[in-house]
Amino acid sequence: MRVYVPLTLPGLAEAHRTGELGTGPFVAYAVTPALREWYLSDDIEELEYAALSRAALASLRQLAADPGAPRRRVVVAVDVPDGAAMPDPDRGLDPAALGEVRVTGPVPLAKAAAVHADADDAEEDVAAAVTAVPAADEGDDDAQFVVDGAEDHELLWYATQEVPALVGLA
C-alpha cells in the first residue's frame, strides 16, 4: 500500500538521521474507501494525488506546531505492507480525516519511493496558509482562500538520493 507521510524539513532531516519515518504508530494518508467515496473517481493516479494533497494539508498543520521550521510542506511517499496502515474506524466519517491511516510500525526511509516538497518560492504562501489553517478549519471562507493559495503550489518531486541536499546536509 502506498502511503503519504506528512513532514516538515526538520522532520525529514530527523528521518534522514535515524533512517526511519516515525517509530509507529504514526499518521499518514492513503487511498482509503472513504477517500474513494469522497473523491468520486476510479482513476488510481487521481486518488493518489488526492491522498498526497491531504498529506500536504497535514504538513501545514505540522508547520504550525513548529514555528522555526522553514515554511515548506514535505510529504514522503512510501510503500508499506498491506495491513501495516489502517484507517481509524472512529474517524472514518470525519471529513478532516479523509484518507488518514495509522502506520503501525517504523518504516525505513530507504523504502521511500519519493519525497515531495515545496519550492523556495512557495514559502510566503505556505507561511500565510499555516497562519490561516485554524480559521479555515472553523469554516472561515477568507482563511480557506489563503490555504488554497498554498495548495496552488505543486509539490516538487525529489528522488530519495536528493534528501541530503533538500535538508541542507549536502
Side-chain angles (χ1 to χ4, degrees), residues 1-4 28-33 35 47 51-52 85 98-101:
M1 167 185 262
R2 169 77 39 103
V3 299
Y4 299 90
Y29 292 80
V31 177
T32 62
L35 184 75
L47 290 164
L52 171 68
L98 284 171
E100 187 178 286
V101 294

Side-chain angles (χ1 to χ4, degrees), residues 11-153:
L12 182 60
E14 178 67 11
H16 177 68
R17 187 184 68 72
T18 65
E20 290 185 340
L21 290 167
T23 57
F26 61 90
V27 173
Y29 292 80
V31 177
T32 62
L35 184 75
R36 283 180 186 275
E37 187 176 320
W38 170 75
Y39 199 74
L40 298 175
S41 175
D42 290 330
D43 184 322
I44 192 63
E45 288 183 16
E46 288 180 16
L47 290 164
E48 286 187 355
Y49 184 78
L52 171 68
S53 297
R54 301 294 295 171
L57 182 58
S59 178
L60 278 179
R61 289 184 173 87
Q62 289 181 5
L63 287 169
D66 185 356
R71 293 331 206 195
R72 293 172 64 191
R73 298 167 298 162
V74 176
V75 176
V76 177
V78 63
D79 294 320
V80 299
D82 290 341
M86 302 295 294
D88 182 342
D90 294 332
R91 292 181 44 94
L93 299 176
D94 182 352
L98 284 171
E100 187 178 286
V101 294
R102 299 258 184 260
V103 179
T104 56
V107 176
L109 182 60
K111 296 282 186 183
V115 176
H116 304 271
D118 280 310
D120 292 339
D121 67 352
E123 285 191 30
E124 185 177 326
D125 288 336
V126 170
V130 166
T131 302
V133 121
D137 287 345
E138 295 296 320
D140 183 316
D141 290 337
D142 292 333
Q144 186 61 54
F145 181 78
V146 173
V147 171
D148 292 345
E151 292 176 2
D152 287 344
H153 293 274

Side-chain angles (χ1 to χ4, degrees), residues 148-161:
D148 292 345
E151 292 176 2
D152 287 344
H153 293 274
E154 291 290 327
L155 296 177
L156 302 178
W157 182 93
Y158 294 89
T160 55
Q161 300 89 327

